Amino acid sequence: MSKSAKSMPSQEEPRPPARMGRTKPAAETALGEAKTAFVRAGFTDMTFLLRWPEIAGAQIARITRPAKWQDGPEGATLTLRCEAGAIVFLQHQTRELTDRLNAYLGRGRISRLKLVPGRLEQMPEPPAHPAPMACVPTGKPELSHALGRLGEARSRLKTARHARPAKPPD
């Protein structure tokens, strides 16, 4: 008797490993994907890019973005993309900026800054939290209530002073 294709034992496809009830955080997956782009530009420390406004200062971070990192024998060369009009300003600030960067990264880590003109996109503001905290009051009802009670107490005090009978002269 011949066996049909349906009755033949099928070869099972390999199953993916069981997750055991644990999922990976989204940030871990996103950083893993972004890490390849950072490494391709020479940045091995992703926090350097994330903390750029803190490291460089708000004024310089507004007009520059780190573009490339190249290690060399004397130290690294950091390429900064900046607005074309800001290059002259930044040339006068290179020593101070290099000192700030080396204070964060370690002494002598950056030996040279390379300024490249380019158009910068504005950094978007972080989105508002999707669920505002329920325990934070939107107004200040305690303050307005307290001021109302204070006003009432003062008016009662004034009326009580005026309502007292005057003392007869001695």
Side-chain angles (χ1 to χ4, degrees):
M1 178 183 253
S2 69
K3 294 184 179 181
S4 67
K6 290 182 183 177
S7 64
M8 294 195 68
S10 63
Q11 293 182 358
E12 292 186 24
E13 294 180 24
R15 291 185 180 179
R19 290 190 179 208
M20 305 293 286
R22 293 188 67 203
T23 59
K24 286 187 176 182
E28 186 177 310
T29 306
L31 284 177
E33 296 295 322
K35 187 174 184 176
T36 58
F38 292 146
V39 170
R40 198 175 9 212
F43 296 104
T44 55
D45 182 15
M46 290 179 279
T47 59
F48 178 75
L49 296 173
L50 296 174
R51 292 185 172 195
W52 177 248
E54 297 170 26
I55 298 166
Q59 186 178 12
I60 291 176
R62 188 174 50 84
I63 57 176
T64 63
R65 300 285 186 278
K68 191 172 185 181
W69 180 282
Q70 295 172 309
D71 281 318
E74 292 92 31
T77 300
L78 177 64
T79 303
L80 296 175
R81 177 171 285 123
C82 53
E83 296 287 340
I87 289 181
V88 174
F89 167 73
L90 288 170
Q91 285 175 339
H92 294 287
Q93 299 290 324
T94 54
R95 179 168 284 154
E96 179 184 337
L97 182 57
T98 304
D99 290 343
R100 275 185 177 175
L101 296 172
N102 283 329
Y104 176 77
L105 296 167
R107 185 171 176 219
R109 185 81 191 271
I110 293 180
S111 62
R112 181 172 174 247
L113 292 178
K114 183 177 176 183
L115 305 174
V116 176
R119 189 153 179 87
L120 299 178
E121 66 277 350
Q122 291 298 321
M123 298 296 281
E125 291 293 320
H129 194 278
M133 295 182 350
C135 64
V136 177
T138 56
K140 297 205 183 272
E142 299 86 20
L143 180 61
S144 62
H145 183 65
L147 289 174
R149 287 187 305 159
L150 178 62
E152 290 171 8
R154 289 190 71 194
S155 64
R156 281 190 303 234
L157 183 61
K158 284 182 183 179
T159 56
R161 282 185 187 166
H162 294 296
R164 289 187 201 162
K167 289 184 179 180
D170 289 317

